[in-house]
Amino acid sequence: MGLFGKKSKEDKGDSCCCGDFDAESMAKAESAKAEGASVKILGTGCPKCNALEAATREALERLGMDASIDHVTDFSQIAAYGVMTTPALVVDGKVVSFGKVLKTDEVVHLLQKVRS
């Protein structure tokens, strides 16, 4: 039963089902996570991720805040935030929403809550 058999020694590695994670890539992801005041969209660049980015950009403009948004597509960096469902919104290093596309008013509310 090769399907359920044990892995051979050469199959065992430090990779997981989501890709290879070595110490260097995880360290870079942790340092990116620790960066200061910022707004980030975590996701692969799908239409839902782009819709969340557009709503976030509009919310930032409404509030008169800096409208620079980082769009993180690297899965190791996304995983460093503990996010397994995208899109996700990160404000000042804290995940405030994941797994759904927020409307502009919802993003405004979250930004005001986190930054006040």
Side-chain angles (χ1 to χ4, degrees):
M1 295 189 62
L3 181 62
F4 299 107
K6 293 183 178 180
K7 290 185 177 182
S8 65
K9 288 184 180 179
E10 60 269 1
D11 289 341
K12 291 182 181 179
D14 292 334
S15 66
C16 73
C17 63
C18 304
D20 293 330
F21 294 110
D22 58 4
E24 182 181 340
S25 66
M26 289 308 290
K28 285 181 6 184
E30 283 298 322
S31 67
K33 178 180 166 186
E35 288 177 0
S38 65
V39 176
K40 296 180 183 185
I41 304 296
L42 309 179
T44 61
C46 68
K48 289 181 179 183
C49 299
N50 293 334
L52 178 58
E53 183 175 355
T56 304
R57 190 171 308 283
E58 186 177 333
L60 287 168
E61 288 174 7
R62 248 191 235 180
L63 294 170
M65 295 179 174
D66 180 26
S68 63
I69 299 173
D70 293 332
H71 196 126
V72 179
T73 57
D74 180 34
F75 190 78
S76 63
Q77 290 182 3
I78 294 170
Y81 285 95
V83 171
M84 299 311 279
T85 52
T86 58
L89 177 63
V90 177
V91 180
D92 299 338
K94 180 181 177 185
V95 177
V96 295
S97 173
F98 63 91
K100 68 178 192 172
V101 178
L102 300 173
K103 296 178 182 169
T104 303
D105 293 333
E106 294 172 314
V107 177
V108 167
H109 177 72
L110 286 172
L111 288 170
Q112 288 173 333
K113 183 177 178 180
V114 171
R115 290 195 170 176
S116 62

